[in-house]
């Protein structure tokens, strides 16, 4: 509401001030005056928001717990992203007006510095946002991998069909956390098919799209980098380990006379699965 009111005021009065007071640089003066008032109020609102959400303590606690234990924080992250989105939209609009004014009047000095106090406050909020987003992505990714291992009977040999020790996740339809039978049309227990790629790409896509929508370049870059690292390292390591385990089991059932051929098949299979898994991960990242 604050940013919208400022935009409406500038749309109505900026052109008049710039034309009537061109000799006194009236357009730039009006922009600076409006931004000064808006900036002071916006910074107070954002700092109050940080206190109400207790973001300093929350991020400290999450950091002390280590990766994979943050749980579902979608609502909180959405709220932070929305505040950042409004702030960044206002900043881009204001800088667009300033750029147009500088071009039209031939003003030598920029109307605003490259970094304003409001930018710094939003960057502080973006730091909290990035930490929470990364922690949640790490938690959901680990649970997706854990669910995949549960299906193989590696984590919970006594689980009844449709149950898991991983807990519910707001993940892909028919996938982890669907509230159904937990299979979601995926491979049978003990099979070599894996649902972790689809589940991981789904939560990664949600994180990436939310970071892009928030509109803060620094936070967006940090989240995208973390998504890339999480998929390219932790998930790919999991898939490689699954491929190696499957190849090892395959070698056990091959007759002794074919042991040499089985070893060659194992190595070839592992290399092929790693290559295909990597290609699939990159295809998924490109679609985000």
């Amino acid at each position: 509401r604050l940013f919208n009111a400022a935009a409406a005021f500038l749309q109505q009065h900026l052109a008049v001030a710039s034309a009537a007071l061109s000799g006194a640089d009236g357009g730039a003066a009006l922009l600076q005056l409006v931004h000064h008032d808006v900036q002071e109020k916006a910074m107070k609102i954002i700092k109050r928001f940080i206190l109400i959400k207790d973001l300093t303590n929350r991020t400290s606690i999450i950091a002390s717990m280590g990766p994979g234990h943050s749980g579902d924080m979608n609502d909180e992250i959405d709220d932070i992203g929305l505040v950042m989105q409004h702030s960044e939209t206002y900043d881009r609009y204001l800088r667009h007006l300033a750029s147009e004014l500088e071009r039209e009047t031939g003003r030598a000095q920029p109307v605003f510095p490259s970094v304003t106090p409001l930018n710094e406050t939003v960057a502080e909020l973006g730091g909290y946002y990035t930490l929470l987003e990364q922690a949640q992505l790490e938690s959901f990714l680990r649970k997706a991998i854990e669910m995949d291992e549960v299906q193989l009977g590696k984590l919970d040999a006594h689980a009844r069909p449709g149950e898991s020790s991983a807990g519910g996740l707001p993940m892909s339809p028919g996938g982890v956390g669907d509230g159904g039978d937990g299979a979601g049309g995926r491979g049978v227990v003990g099979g070599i098919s894996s649902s972790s790629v689809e589940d991981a790409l789904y939560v990664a896509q949600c994180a990436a799209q939310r970071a892009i929508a928030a509109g803060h370049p620094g936070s967006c870059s940090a989240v995208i980098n973390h998504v890339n690292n999480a998929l390219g390292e932790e998930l790919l390591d999991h898939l490689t380990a699954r491929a190696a385990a499957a190849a090892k089991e395959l070698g056990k059932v091959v007759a002794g006379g074919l042991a040499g051929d089985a070893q060659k098949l194992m190595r070839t299979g592992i290399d092929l699965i790693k290559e295909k898994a990597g290609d699939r991960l990159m295809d998924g990242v490109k679609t985000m």
Side-chain angles (χ1 to χ4, degrees):
R1 184 177 300 175
L2 174 66
F3 295 144
N4 289 339
F9 178 86
L10 289 171
Q11 286 177 350
Q12 184 176 0
H13 298 289
L14 181 60
V16 176
S18 181
L21 301 172
S22 58
D25 204 10
L30 181 62
L31 269 179
Q32 292 169 342
L33 179 62
V34 171
H35 177 62
H36 178 270
D37 290 343
V38 171
Q39 179 173 253
E40 291 298 316
K41 292 181 176 64
M43 289 172 60
K44 289 180 181 178
I45 292 172
I46 293 174
K47 290 178 179 179
R48 178 64 178 167
F49 176 82
I50 292 174
L51 288 175
I52 291 174
K53 293 292 185 180
D54 198 22
L55 294 180
T56 302
N57 289 332
R58 286 293 308 280
T59 51
S60 297
I61 292 172
I62 290 173
S64 65
M65 292 171 61
H69 298 90
S70 64
D72 188 348
M73 300 181 293
N74 272 309
D75 290 342
E76 294 174 87
I77 297 174
D78 283 341
D79 289 343
I80 300 172
L82 187 60
V83 174
M84 293 170 58
Q85 183 184 65
H86 289 319
S87 302
E88 288 299 308
T89 299
Y90 164 77
D91 186 71
R92 287 194 297 271
Y93 174 71
L94 199 71
R95 291 186 184 279
H96 169 71
L97 293 180
S99 177
E100 289 293 310
L101 191 64
E102 292 163 5
R103 181 179 59 81
E104 292 173 359
T105 61
R107 197 174 195 271
Q109 296 297 324
V111 178
F112 299 111
S114 58
V115 179
T116 66
L118 179 58
N119 294 146
E120 294 175 348
T121 303
V122 174
E124 178 185 356
L125 182 62
Y128 295 123
Y129 167 85
T130 300
L131 289 173
L132 294 179
E133 190 75 90
Q134 291 179 351
Q136 177 169 271
L137 174 63
E138 186 75 17
S139 178
F140 283 178
L141 179 59
R142 291 196 174 197
K143 287 181 180 179
I145 292 174
E146 185 177 299
M147 281 290 288
D148 202 34
E149 293 175 342
V150 167
Q151 289 178 339
L152 292 175
K154 292 180 179 179
L155 293 183
D156 191 356
H158 303 291
R160 298 188 300 274
E163 290 188 346
S164 166
S165 62
L169 289 175
M171 292 192 176
S172 54
V176 181
D178 61 359
D181 60 5
R186 301 168 302 196
V188 297
V189 175
I192 62 172
S193 62
S194 172
S195 67
S196 58
V197 173
E198 287 77 9
D199 289 336
L201 286 179
Y202 180 78
V203 295
Q205 183 182 48
C206 289
Q209 290 179 341
R210 180 161 47 195
I212 293 171
H216 188 261
S219 300
C220 181
S221 175
V223 171
I224 296 298
N225 284 335
H226 188 74
V227 166
N228 178 65
N229 292 335
L231 295 179
E233 294 177 6
E234 186 166 359
L235 179 60
L236 190 57
D237 287 346
H238 166 68
L239 295 176
T240 301
R242 283 205 56 176
K248 184 177 181 180
E249 291 300 317
L250 177 64
K252 291 180 180 179
V253 301
V254 177
L258 298 178
D261 292 334
Q263 292 296 327
K264 293 179 182 178
L265 179 61
M266 287 168 58
R267 288 192 296 268
T268 302
I270 293 173
D271 292 340
L272 180 61
I273 291 174
K274 288 175 64 177
E275 178 182 351
K276 294 300 181 183
D279 291 342
R280 192 173 184 188
L281 290 177
M282 291 306 302
D283 290 341
V285 171
K286 290 177 182 178
T287 61
M288 291 180 183

